[in-house]
């Protein structure tokens, strides 16, 4: 098995090769507890002109969607921004934040892509392989692929396609709002990814796990 995180040595070709190898380990079938008792929300931001990575992790009650615990972590950014390799840049701080929670969530929602990535390893998929946790990517913009716009009603969705395969959903989560780009990360099926996001909405465009993580990572939580 390949290590999900290696010390950045500047070798882009090697990193892309590792992405492809790790993507082969992904499980795209439902493999999470039912009923779910806890959810995780995760997001990453960058500070000080990108030299500091700020990761936020929250543990939520799966029934009420209320936060049970939260953890924010700041680490020196380990590598520059390179298109398609963002998960290597974000993962160290995310893992540190997740380790600070009192217990791991049974299902993780990550602000970013799962398999909706040119080499099928966005941050949600990479995080899932690194932690072993079931994971879903919830992104605000597409990274790759083509799609037809979904209908106007919450729950309307269309497939996000890339190279002849479905890599996610274009999901309307709220009327008069741009759609979300939802994709399975690890241990979650394509069909369940969109349904789980819809289940975790509370009147906002984003599902509660990533909405609250985004607030914490962006320091819009009253601090």
């Amino acid at each position: 098995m390949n290590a999900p995180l290696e010390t950045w040595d500047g070798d882009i070709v090697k990193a892309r090769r590792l992405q492809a190898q790790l993507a082969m380990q992904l499980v795209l079938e439902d493999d999470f507890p039912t009923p779910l008792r806890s959810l995780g929300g995760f997001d990453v931001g960058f500070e000080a002109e990108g030299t500091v990575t700020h990761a936020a992790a929250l543990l939520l009650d799966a029934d009420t969607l209320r936060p049970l615990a939260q953890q924010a972590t700041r680490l020196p950014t380990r590598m520059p921004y390179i298109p398609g390799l963002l998960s290597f840049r974000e993962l160290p701080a995310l893992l540190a934040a997740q380790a600070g929670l009192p217990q791991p969530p049974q299902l993780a929602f990550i602000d970013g892509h799962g398999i909706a990535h040119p080499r099928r390893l966005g941050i949600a998929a990479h995080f899932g392989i690194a932690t072993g946790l079931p994971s879903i990517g919830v992104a605000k913009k597409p990274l790759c692929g083509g799609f037809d716009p979904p209908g106007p009603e919450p729950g309307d969705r269309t497939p996000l396609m890339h190279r002849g395969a479905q890599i996610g959903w274009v999901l309307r989560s709220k009327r008069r709002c741009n759609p979300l780009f939802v994709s399975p990360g690890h241990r979650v099926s394509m069909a369940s990814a969109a349904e789980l996001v819809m289940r975790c909405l509370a009147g906002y465009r984003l599902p509660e796990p990533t909405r609250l993580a985004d607030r914490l990572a962006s320091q819009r939580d009253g601090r």
Side-chain angles (χ1 to χ4, degrees):
M1 180 177 294
N2 298 288
L5 187 63
E6 297 182 356
T7 301
W8 172 247
D9 61 4
D11 191 332
I12 294 176
V13 173
K14 178 183 175 183
R16 289 174 176 166
R17 187 182 305 119
L18 177 58
Q19 283 181 321
Q21 293 168 347
L22 292 173
M24 295 178 64
Q25 300 175 23
L26 293 171
V27 174
L28 300 179
E29 299 177 357
D30 290 336
D31 183 25
F32 50 83
T34 54
L36 285 164
R37 300 299 184 191
S38 65
L39 305 173
F42 298 86
D43 193 14
V44 174
F46 293 92
E47 304 171 357
E49 299 183 344
T51 62
V52 176
T53 308
H54 181 198
L58 289 99
L59 186 69
L60 296 87
D61 182 282
D63 293 323
T64 66
L65 300 179
R66 293 179 179 175
L68 302 173
Q70 67 181 42
Q71 177 70 35
T73 300
R74 288 176 173 82
L75 295 178
T77 302
R78 57 170 290 167
M79 62 179 285
Y81 170 71
I82 300 172
L85 298 180
L86 186 59
S87 68
F88 290 98
R89 194 172 192 233
E90 297 181 336
L91 190 58
L94 273 182
L95 294 179
Q98 191 271 326
L101 295 176
Q103 65 188 62
Q106 294 179 323
L107 174 65
F109 290 75
I110 318 293
D111 189 316
H113 293 282
I115 65 168
H117 180 279
R119 286 170 294 281
R120 306 299 185 258
L121 200 82
I123 184 58
H126 204 160
F127 179 88
I129 287 292
T131 62
L133 295 174
S135 58
I136 297 173
V138 184
K140 304 176 189 72
K141 297 179 181 179
L143 180 61
C144 63
F147 59 92
D148 293 323
E153 297 299 324
D156 287 346
R157 70 201 69 170
T158 56
L160 178 63
M161 305 295 294
H162 184 243
R163 297 174 184 166
Q166 184 177 0
I167 57 173
W169 295 102
V170 186
L171 175 68
R172 187 81 64 190
S173 58
K174 186 178 180 180
R175 286 183 61 87
R176 295 185 294 276
C177 286
N178 290 332
L180 299 175
F181 296 84
V182 175
S183 56
H186 183 44
R187 297 174 58 191
V188 176
S189 68
M190 183 68 69
S192 292
E195 293 299 328
L196 288 163
V197 168
M198 291 301 299
R199 167 181 164 176
C200 293
L201 294 172
Y204 299 92
R205 180 192 178 204
L206 295 175
E208 285 297 277
T210 56
R211 185 182 77 85
L212 296 175
D214 176 77
R215 285 178 55 189
L216 183 58
S218 302
Q219 297 185 351
R220 294 196 299 269
D221 58 340
R223 292 177 58 188

